[in-house]
Amino acid sequence: MNPDLKARRAIADTESGGKVIETRKGDHPLAGQTLSGAEMVIQVLADEGVTTLFGYSGGAILPTYDAVFRYNAAHADEVEKQVRLIVPANEQGAGFMAAGYARASGKVGVFLVTSGPGATNSVTPIRDSMADSTPVVLICGQVPRKAMGTDAFQEAPVSNLMGACAKHVFLVTKPEELEATMRTAFHIARTGRPGPVVVDVPKDVQNWEGTFEGAGLLNLRGYNHRLAKLQANRVGDEQAKTFFAMLHHSERPLIYAGGGVINGNAAQELRAFAEALGIPAVTTLMGIGAMDTTSPLSLQMLGMHGAAHANYAVEDCDCLLAIGSRFDDRVAGKVQEFAPGARFIAHIDIDAAEIGKVKLVDWSFVGEAKTGLCDLLAYAKKTGFKKDYSKWLEHVRGLREKYAFNYDRESDLLQPHHVIECLNKITKGDAIVSTGVGQHQMWGAQYFDFHTARSWLTSGSMGTMGFGLPAAIGAQFACPDRIVIDLDGDGSLRMNLGEMETVTTYDLPVKILLLNNLGDGMVRQWQKSYFGERFSGSDKSLHRKDFVKAAEADGFGFAKRLEKKEDVTRLLKEFIQHKGGAFLEVMVDQDACVFPMVGPGMGYKEMVTGPWIPKRESDQDQPGEKVDLTTSPELF
């Protein structure tokens, strides 16, 4: 963490009185100088380490766009200090680029839009970021303060619209608080449970001139008090003793890791914890990458379309350790039947509201996942805790071998699973993969390997089609030396098709792999299973879009279509090895389905594994009796 930022936070946590908390003046080279509100906005972005800004211009935000131009001109000889401005096809694309940048880098993503339609086009990425705990800051232009409430040209009630979607919304009505508000927006976005913060800035506030302080946060006394308490939370010895008593009484413990592990930068700590104690792990869709998917302890994804072996492990475990996960409906399904054999459930989460919200637990820690895991592991080492889980590990290895992902390998039609399997052999688990939403998203989660966290970018809770391509663009700016692949479907790609031009405009080496099944495949699969094969609105076979020609028109040097099974490996290698942006359309089997599948409102016992994955029929061990840990004898 930046030392200056840490100092400002400490002051914000301890001082009282006045709305703006000030640090010592003179620390900043511009402190005391007169700047416009727009110039203050851009200077704060620069101070916060923002080097890439995504946005689309318009009347109400023009002063700030002009400030970007002038700031970069003033630093023409210092390229590393410039704030690079990336213009998308529309504001939703800007929001998802900022989200992709944030997810891939771990930094706060920023996007800048105008008032009215610019703001309303940003609602979806803001809600998406809130649902997946992604730290972004949106700066909206707004009509002048005197015009607000008059239905002025391109006016929208941003606070009302965004208030239900964002972690926090600021409407800046006092120009002298603009600078501190901008810094506070970053503070809120990145701390605690991360999330999106919106700053609505009237045009006259952007044009206002005042003294730049160079430091200071708004005095959000309640937030800062809760945050300080949260950051100070540790797992004490008595609490750790109870946790390990629980593990001592368990024979089949299982880690259930979610997106909070990724957002909390706790992947390394999770891996160390699992390896030291010999406990296998399943991950949610958002938690993919928390464990190296090739690790012997990784059982891959659980849930509605999770691995059969992962779901069976959940059925068989007698102790479930939920870390940075929230028992989402796509994971827990029929909640009362989720992990039926678990005599103990522990939950580590940074958000106290998640503890017991869906599933009652026996042990919990509210705090940072990294801190909780480190404290528990330190206690285990200090006390010499050891438990032999070798029989359980042998059991889950058997599950993974017997109930592995599979598909129709003999079909003459191109199977999407096969395409991703081949691509995975080429990228070897080292690529950043973003996706749209639908069948291709689930196949990607199932068949790609990921060695590191922040390599899998997808819209989880909101399930927003159109996320994949702009998120890949944001990720490529964040990680210019990594291979970035947008795995997309024809339905999802149409949603933000205009961003293909953004790839070539900025000469990005993003690879777009389109799995085209001529329809909305996931909707079609549900219609096939639950609606008597009445394919209402999901069949796109009569549509005339030629995606390859569209890619060529947007300037892609590599734009090809893959239709033959024998060409898969060759074309995939050419696709990945192409120096610039590349587009490959793969015409896949329209009837290919995602399996396993746990139907809506069903439990894991009712999981449909499909024709290519065996289904387990035998009854498993019944859950043991609950143990009162408070009266348990000394265990170690």
Side-chain angles (χ1 to χ4, degrees):
M1 182 186 296
N2 183 299
D4 181 49
L5 179 59
K6 186 179 288 186
R8 294 203 304 271
R9 289 186 189 174
I11 290 170
D13 286 343
T14 57
E15 286 203 1
S16 60
K19 183 151 187 185
V20 178
I21 302 298
E22 293 185 358
T23 58
R24 192 175 66 248
K25 289 186 180 181
D27 290 344
H28 196 289
L30 297 181
Q33 292 192 22
T34 299
L35 300 180
S36 71
E39 290 169 336
M40 290 182 184
V41 169
I42 301 307
Q43 186 59 55
V44 170
L45 296 189
D47 293 344
E48 292 290 342
V50 175
T51 58
T52 306
L53 176 63
F54 305 94
Y56 207 94
S57 60
I61 197 65
L62 275 180
T64 302
Y65 270 81
D66 189 58
V68 175
F69 185 96
R70 287 184 286 108
Y71 176 88
N72 288 337
H75 295 84
D77 297 329
E78 303 171 287
V79 178
E80 71 282 356
K81 290 187 177 181
Q82 293 188 1
V83 179
R84 180 172 42 184
L85 178 60
I86 307 303
V87 182
N90 67 47
E91 291 87 358
Q92 186 184 109
F96 288 141
M97 288 175 197
Y101 184 96
R103 294 189 194 206
S105 68
K107 301 176 183 178
V108 177
V110 187
F111 61 122
L112 181 67
V113 305
T114 195
S115 63
T120 57
N121 282 348
S122 302
V123 171
T124 299
I126 286 296
R127 173 57 194 149
D128 191 275
S129 293
M130 185 66 182
D132 287 341
S133 302
T134 304
V136 298
V137 169
L138 165 61
I139 305 163
C140 285
Q142 182 57 277
V143 299
R145 285 171 292 173
K146 288 183 179 179
M148 291 177 65
T150 67
D151 289 331
F153 178 67
Q154 291 192 334
E155 181 185 3
V158 171
S159 295
N160 296 27
L161 290 168
M162 298 290 191
C165 299
K167 185 177 179 182
H168 197 79
V169 179
F170 291 104
L171 170 60
V172 184
T173 57
K174 296 179 180 179
E176 62 274 11
E177 293 180 0
L178 174 60
E179 179 189 346
T181 299
M182 285 303 307
R183 287 200 182 85
T184 305
F186 281 85
H187 173 56
I188 294 174
R190 64 163 66 97
T191 54
R193 183 175 182 171
V197 178
V198 180
V199 185
D200 197 25
V201 191
K203 190 172 183 178
D204 61 316
V205 174
Q206 297 171 56
N207 286 324
W208 164 85
E209 292 187 345
T211 301
F212 185 72
E213 302 292 343
L217 295 171
L218 295 180
N219 184 17
L220 304 180
R221 188 176 304 180
Y223 180 82
N224 287 320
H225 175 74
R226 293 191 300 272
L227 180 62
K229 186 177 179 181
L230 182 69
Q231 292 175 334
N233 280 355
R234 304 298 296 265
V235 180
D237 281 359
E238 284 302 311
Q239 194 177 12
K241 180 179 179 180
T242 304
F243 179 89
F244 284 102
M246 182 177 67
L247 273 187
H248 176 82
H249 283 293
S250 304
E251 302 298 330
R252 304 184 298 274
L254 182 68
I255 293 169
Y256 151 46
V261 175
I262 308 290
N263 295 333
N265 297 311
Q268 293 304 319
E269 288 74 15
L270 175 69
R271 297 176 187 197
F273 179 86
E275 290 166 7
L277 299 177
I279 302 176
V282 295
T283 67
T284 66
L285 177 70
M286 298 305 297
I288 290 175
M291 293 287 290
D292 184 336
T293 57
T294 64
S295 165
L297 292 175
S298 172
L299 296 179
Q300 299 173 284
M301 182 176 72
L302 82 166
M304 176 177 276
H305 293 296
H309 55 265
N311 289 347
Y312 288 145
V314 173
E315 290 275 297
D316 296 349
C317 76
D318 66 358
C319 177
L320 189 69
L321 312 177
I323 304 171
S325 49
R326 55 190 180 86
F327 298 91
D328 176 75
D329 62 294
R330 293 296 168 111
V331 167
K334 197 181 291 184
V335 177
Q336 64 273 24
E337 295 181 11
F338 181 68
R343 296 186 295 163
F344 314 110
I345 299 179
H347 195 179
I348 295 175
D349 203 279
I350 199 165
D351 189 348
E354 295 296 345
I355 307 296
K357 184 177 81 174
V358 176
K359 189 86 171 173
L360 294 178
V361 299
D362 303 288
W363 183 97
S364 64
F365 171 70
V366 177
E368 296 176 348
K370 180 182 292 192
T371 299
L373 290 168
C374 286
D375 287 348
L376 288 172
L377 189 53
Y379 185 87
K381 291 178 179 178
K382 179 175 70 174
T383 58
F385 175 84
K386 288 184 180 179
K387 185 73 186 275
D388 183 7
Y389 297 122
S390 56
K391 289 184 179 179
W392 170 233
L393 291 173
E394 183 180 349
H395 174 73
V396 296
R397 276 196 294 269
L399 292 178
R400 184 163 183 171
E401 290 173 7
K402 186 172 182 180
Y403 304 106
F405 291 121
N406 204 3
Y407 57 92
D408 183 1
R409 296 179 182 274
E410 304 303 320
S411 173
D412 292 330
L413 298 175
L414 275 175
Q415 299 302 304
H417 329 63
H418 172 64
V419 174
I420 298 173
E421 233 178 18
C422 291
L423 183 56
N424 187 54
K425 290 178 181 177
I426 295 169
T427 59
K428 300 177 182 178
D430 292 326
I432 294 176
V433 178
S434 73
T435 77
V437 169
Q439 287 179 315
H440 68 276
Q441 175 190 31
M442 295 299 114
W443 288 319
Q446 292 175 346
Y447 287 91
F448 270 117
D449 281 319
F450 297 96
H451 297 311
T452 59
R454 300 192 178 279
S455 296
W456 167 254
L457 317 177
T458 197
S459 175
S461 185
M462 270 285 279
T464 310
M465 294 174 69
F467 175 90
L469 178 53
I473 291 170
Q476 191 72 82
F477 277 111
C479 307
D481 297 327
R482 296 278 302 275
I483 294 174
V484 178
I485 301 168
D486 168 34
L487 173 65
D488 234 319
D490 53 304
S492 275
L493 188 60
R494 277 189 179 91
M495 294 280 186
N496 274 313
L497 189 66
E499 305 307 346
M500 287 178 63
E501 185 184 15
T502 309
V503 173
T504 54
T505 296
Y506 295 98
D507 196 24
L508 298 173
V510 171
K511 315 301 180 189
I512 304 172
L513 180 68
L514 170 61
L515 301 181
N516 192 346
N517 58 9
L518 302 176
D520 297 321
M522 188 61 85
V523 174
R524 180 183 171 88
Q525 180 171 335
W526 279 51
Q527 290 170 333
K528 187 175 182 179
S529 300
Y530 305 113
F531 294 89
E533 299 192 3
R534 295 182 293 277
F535 301 123
S536 176
S538 60
D539 185 0
K540 305 294 193 299
S541 58
L542 297 180
H543 284 205
R544 301 295 182 90
K545 170 67 69 178
D546 187 324
F547 287 101
V548 172
K549 287 183 179 178
E552 290 173 342
D554 283 330
F556 279 81
F558 183 104
K560 296 185 180 181
R561 182 176 291 116
L562 172 56
E563 299 180 274
K564 296 178 181 178
K565 200 171 180 180
E566 58 268 26
D567 294 333
V568 170
T569 300
R570 176 181 61 82
L571 278 179
L572 285 176
K573 285 182 178 178
E574 292 178 11
F575 168 69
I576 291 297
Q577 291 169 1
H578 185 75
K579 295 295 183 184
F583 179 89
L584 181 61
E585 179 183 28
V586 186
M587 307 307 297
V588 299
D589 182 0
Q590 189 174 24
D591 291 319
C593 287
V594 179
F595 289 114
M597 180 170 182
V598 180
M602 296 182 182
Y604 287 6
K605 289 187 183 300
E606 301 157 292
M607 175 173 58
V608 177
T609 57
W612 312 107
I613 303 171
K615 181 175 176 62
R616 186 167 71 174
E617 301 295 344
S618 61
D619 291 334
Q620 298 304 303
D621 295 340
Q622 295 301 309
E625 295 296 322
K626 281 278 185 180
V627 176
D628 184 356
L629 298 177
T630 62
T631 60
S632 295
E634 291 295 328
L635 301 174
F636 41 86

